[in-house]
Amino acid sequence: MTTIYDLARVTGISKSTVSRVVSGQGYVSAAKRQRILAAMRELHYIPNQRAKNLRRQRTNTIGFLLREYFPLAGEFMDVFVHEAARYGFTVNVYFTQNAETERQTLDLLASGALDAVFILTRINDWDVISRYTQFGPIATWQRVDRPDIYSNYLDHYPLYLKILEQLYREGHRQIGHVLSDRSSANTQARLRAIATFQARHPDAAMTFVCHFATQQNAGKTAAKRWLAAAARPHAVVFFADYVAAEFVATLRRAGGACPPDCTVVSTDNSAIAKLTAIRTMDLGFRSQACNGVRYLVGQLTDQELAAETIRPHWVKA
Amino acid sequence: MTTIYDLARVTGISKSTVSRVVSGQGYVSAAKRQRILAAMRELHYIPNQRAKNLRRQRTNTIGFLLREYFPLAGEFMDVFVHEAARYGFTVNVYFTQNAETERQTLDLLASGALDAVFILTRINDWDVISRYTQFGPIATWQRVDRPDIYSNYLDHYPLYLKILEQLYREGHRQIGHVLSDRSSANTQARLRAIATFQARHPDAAMTFVCHFATQQNAGKTAAKRWLAAAARPHAVVFFADYVAAEFVATLRRAGGACPPDCTVVSTDNSAIAKLTAIRTMDLGFRSQACNGVRYLVGQLTDQELAAETIRPHWVKA
DNA sequence: CTGAAAGCGCTAACAA
DNA sequence: TTGTTAGCGCTTTCAG
């Protein structure tokens, strides 16, 4: 490993001048710069990142935290990593699994291993997570209203209402709902939308409602319940494309087809929706990923990076 | 930020003794240990990772390189990150995009930002990549035979032959092939299997062969070709579940169904195959991910970590 | 068992 | 424009 010290020794120029050339900061005479540059090439000099990190108190690394893997997480990460790279940041992935591990991972912020953290799906209370903002900026995909945690969320209430109204217009009077965990803010918004819709249209039956904490097997279970239901809803709205796709696949295995047996609607616009031809509404996760990065980078570099505007829209099949 | 120095000052004990307690290395009297431990708690001490990294010439970070995202990459990473975490390593994700960027990313090995590198999909020649092994161990998902780069590959030749024989046994005499890039070692193995099969069964027609460099839109294009083909093969084997799924979706949009119009077989055992009920053979990518991690960690920590044996098998739909 | 001291490789304030 | 110097926070000999 060639170091800056070697370059200084070989060229007979001081370490600091070499450092100036290497980092491109400060004035150096053309003659010396050339000599140093030549030596750099000759000795295959590559600056030591670890030393830089210690010295500058930065690692240019963002932690990407999620409880566990789900297909959309991969697509989200794709966008996130690309956007971070644009600003010279790299992304470290962590599966948090439980509250304890999540806290330990957040400690990496305090230890200086991470400059910032993005939480795709959380475990601990926001109060707990919030404490870590003293060590670095935190952003999340989830919906929170806190001054210290950035959340680029969308209110699901009007959107869900829009979906329901659309189905009503198409003639559906029995609509099922497959929702995420009850505690999630988005689920609560959707439940409120259901209540509003119900009040508006007393002729619509909204009795089929399921909740799932994870995406794994949710679609399968929902399909079984649908098959066993006394009054099967002819339209079901899902909280994730993956779950919707699993629902469709399970139904198909049981000899059904969606449609006509059941109209399936979801809200991600993921690769899976495209493949399985599920009707889906794009809620702008790609923009949310970009905005998350921009907020974090903005905080770290003390600048205001413009956020992309999220435009939810139906994806034509 | 509390440092080891603060702890020393507060307790009146030397830095080195504090360090011994913090790192758990070396002998320290019970009394002093208690005093230090108490101070650590009181001052919320968290060791600085950047300083540690510089000092120990290690970051405990593995770089995960891929050209671009594809659904299976996400599932692969899921396993990879979990396995790395078991050994105390964290994973940094990089999209390499072009040869130049890939080289720059490999430079991170030389800069000490990364301890080791795993290459899911490469761009540069192995000769180029090989040079970086002087800076740290390199493993890959791709098939290579080199002493310095670890590759936990599977010979696709016998497996592909097995798939073809199975289809033949089921009565198929016209089999199509959707393959990856011609330059890939796996594709070459599959082409050899096709040749062998052809020689063995002259009554089988193997005229439908497509090659695709990326997974994006490959299935769609293949479907269009299939629809336009003079003699449509009633069975097609794909190099990736995602591509197979896109093929099926495109055909379905055109009014077809697989089966009976076309039997679709693939080789990943991904989440998508499960959702779309595609017949697929598990080639053990999960084990390959684990083995990749184990090799790299083994090299870094100078031990021999047992590799999982890969057992390819049909996945029952 | 403990402390002093050297140093990982780089940066930046300050002086010249 | 350049060099000297003082660290960043931690680990690890080496004496004591």
Side-chain angles (χ1 to χ4, degrees):
Chain A
M1 267 302 304
T2 319
T3 73
I4 220 168
Y5 179 78
D6 297 325
L7 294 176
R9 202 167 29 73
V10 164
T11 58
I13 302 171
S14 83
K15 263 184 4 175
S16 17
T17 305
V18 173
S19 170
R20 283 186 198 107
V21 171
V22 169
S23 62
Q25 309 271 353
Y27 302 102
V28 178
S29 67
K32 292 204 170 177
R33 161 163 287 124
Q34 286 318 312
R35 271 210 284 158
I36 294 169
L37 252 25
M40 281 170 61
R41 252 186 302 275
E42 194 163 347
L43 302 181
H44 302 299
Y45 172 73
I46 290 175
N48 186 303
Q49 195 59 44
R50 289 179 295 240
K52 253 178 160 153
N53 288 345
L54 174 57
R55 182 55 235 230
R56 321 191 49 183
Q57 306 282 44
R58 271 289 163 79
T59 52
N60 273 34
T61 303
I62 299 174
F64 187 91
L65 279 59
L66 68 168
R67 301 172 64 135
E68 63 196 353
Y69 185 78
F70 53 98
L72 194 66
E75 297 186 49
F76 192 100
M77 213 158 55
D78 178 17
V79 180
F80 192 91
V81 172
H82 275 101
E83 184 70 8
R86 282 187 52 196
Y87 301 102
F89 280 79
T90 104
V91 178
N92 248 341
V93 183
Y94 301 89
F95 291 105
T96 44
Q97 314 190 77
N98 59 58
E100 167 70 2
T101 318
E102 189 182 58
R103 266 179 274 122
Q104 282 168 3
T105 311
L106 286 166
D107 273 340
L108 295 176
L109 212 45
S111 79
L114 261 26
D115 289 345
V117 155
F118 185 86
I119 301 177
L120 195 75
T121 47
R122 85 178 200 284
I123 299 174
N124 282 280
D125 287 343
W126 290 117
D127 284 329
V128 175
I129 294 170
S130 189
R131 268 182 236 135
Y132 291 87
T133 54
Q134 62 179 299
F135 304 114
I138 297 181
T140 181
W141 191 35
Q142 305 201 291
R143 177 175 170 164
V144 231
D145 275 304
R146 276 179 170 266
D148 49 354
I149 296 177
Y150 177 81
S151 168
N152 186 225
Y153 72 80
L154 214 61
D155 187 358
H156 283 217
Y157 175 80
L159 293 165
Y160 205 71
L161 211 44
K162 204 168 164 182
I163 292 173
L164 298 181
E165 290 292 358
Q166 173 64 31
L167 289 170
Y168 189 86
R169 232 173 291 130
E170 291 171 16
H172 290 284
R173 292 297 176 270
Q174 283 214 82
I175 304 175
H177 310 272
V178 177
L179 300 163
S180 175
D181 204 79
R182 243 184 214 87
S183 66
S184 126
N186 287 340
T187 303
Q188 281 167 20
R190 290 181 180 212
L191 286 170
R192 270 187 290 118
I194 292 171
T196 303
F197 181 84
Q198 184 73 92
R200 223 184 259 173
H201 305 287
D203 60 328
M206 319 283 269
T207 49
F208 189 86
V209 180
C210 316
H211 288 276
F212 296 97
T214 61
Q215 301 196 9
Q216 210 57 46
N217 289 318
K220 197 188 277 184
T221 310
K224 281 180 187 155
R225 267 195 228 158
W226 185 88
L227 286 165
R232 292 176 179 171
H234 285 260
V236 181
V237 193
F238 290 81
F239 71 101
D241 285 350
Y242 179 81
V243 177
E246 207 179 59
F247 179 88
V248 172
T250 310
L251 237 59
R252 190 171 290 152
R253 250 172 226 145
C258 319
D261 294 347
C262 184
T263 296
V264 167
V265 177
S266 184
T267 50
D268 281 338
N269 187 18
S270 70
I272 283 169
K274 215 172 295 163
L275 286 180
T276 50
I278 281 168
R279 249 169 90 178
T280 187
M281 185 179 256
D282 190 325
L283 263 32
F285 77 85
R286 292 172 192 83
S287 298
Q288 289 174 317
C290 288
N291 291 344
V293 170
R294 290 184 199 172
Y295 165 78
L296 296 174
V297 172
Q299 290 289 308
L300 291 170
T301 57
D302 248 326
Q303 52 184 316
E304 193 74 54
L305 295 169
E308 283 185 12
T309 314
I310 301 172
R311 303 185 196 292
H313 58 271
W314 283 108
V315 179
K316 56 178 181 303
Chain B
M1 266 303 304
T2 317
T3 73
I4 218 167
Y5 179 79
D6 297 325
L7 258 27
R9 203 168 26 74
V10 165
T11 57
I13 302 171
S14 83
K15 262 185 2 174
S16 8
T17 305
V18 174
S19 170
R20 284 187 198 103
V21 171
V22 168
S23 63
Q25 308 273 352
Y27 301 102
V28 178
S29 67
K32 291 205 170 178
R33 159 163 288 123
Q34 288 318 314
R35 270 209 284 157
I36 293 169
L37 252 24
M40 280 170 61
R41 252 186 303 276
E42 192 163 348
L43 302 182
H44 301 299
Y45 172 72
I46 290 175
N48 186 305
Q49 194 59 44
R50 288 179 295 241
K52 251 179 163 153
N53 289 345
L54 174 58
R55 181 57 232 229
R56 321 191 48 182
Q57 306 283 46
R58 270 288 164 80
T59 52
N60 273 31
T61 303
I62 299 175
F64 187 91
L65 279 59
L66 68 167
R67 303 172 61 135
E68 62 196 353
Y69 185 78
F70 53 97
L72 193 66
E75 296 185 49
F76 192 100
M77 214 157 56
D78 177 16
V79 180
F80 192 90
V81 171
H82 274 100
E83 184 70 8
R86 281 187 53 195
Y87 302 102
F89 281 79
T90 108
V91 178
N92 246 340
V93 183
Y94 300 90
F95 291 105
T96 44
Q97 314 192 73
N98 58 57
E100 167 70 3
T101 317
E102 189 183 57
R103 266 178 275 123
Q104 282 169 3
T105 310
L106 286 166
D107 273 340
L108 295 175
L109 212 45
S111 80
L114 261 28
D115 288 347
V117 155
F118 185 86
I119 301 176
L120 195 73
T121 46
R122 86 178 199 283
I123 299 174
N124 282 279
D125 287 343
W126 290 116
D127 285 328
V128 174
I129 294 170
S130 188
R131 268 182 237 135
Y132 290 88
T133 54
Q134 62 178 298
F135 303 113
I138 297 181
T140 181
W141 191 36
Q142 305 201 292
R143 178 176 170 164
V144 232
D145 275 304
R146 277 180 171 267
D148 48 354
I149 297 176
Y150 176 82
S151 168
N152 187 224
Y153 71 80
L154 213 62
D155 188 357
H156 283 217
Y157 175 81
L159 293 164
Y160 205 71
L161 211 44
K162 204 167 165 182
I163 292 172
L164 298 181
E165 290 291 359
Q166 174 64 32
L167 290 170
Y168 188 87
R169 233 174 291 129
E170 291 172 15
H172 290 285
R173 292 299 177 267
Q174 282 214 82
I175 304 173
H177 309 271
V178 177
L179 300 164
S180 173
D181 204 78
R182 242 182 216 87
S183 67
S184 127
N186 288 341
T187 303
Q188 281 166 19
R190 291 180 178 213
L191 286 170
R192 270 186 292 118
I194 294 172
T196 303
F197 181 83
Q198 184 73 92
R200 223 183 260 174
H201 306 287
D203 59 325
M206 318 281 272
T207 51
F208 188 87
V209 180
C210 318
H211 288 275
F212 296 97
T214 62
Q215 301 195 9
Q216 209 56 46
N217 289 317
K220 197 189 277 183
T221 310
K224 281 181 187 156
R225 268 196 227 158
W226 186 89
L227 287 165
R232 292 177 179 168
H234 285 259
V236 180
V237 193
F238 291 80
F239 70 101
D241 284 351
Y242 177 81
V243 177
E246 207 180 59
F247 179 89
V248 172
T250 310
L251 237 59
R252 189 171 289 153
R253 249 170 228 148
C258 316
D261 295 346
C262 184
T263 296
V264 167
V265 177
S266 184
T267 50
D268 281 338
N269 188 18
S270 69
I272 284 170
K274 214 171 296 165
L275 286 180
T276 50
I278 281 170
R279 247 170 90 180
T280 187
M281 186 180 256
D282 191 324
L283 263 31
F285 77 85
R286 291 173 193 81
S287 299
Q288 289 175 317
C290 288
N291 291 344
V293 170
R294 290 184 199 171
Y295 166 78
L296 295 174
V297 172
Q299 290 289 307
L300 291 170
T301 57
D302 249 327
Q303 51 184 317
E304 193 76 51
L305 296 169
E308 284 185 11
T309 314
I310 302 172
R311 306 187 194 290
H313 57 271
W314 282 107
V315 179
K316 54 179 183 302

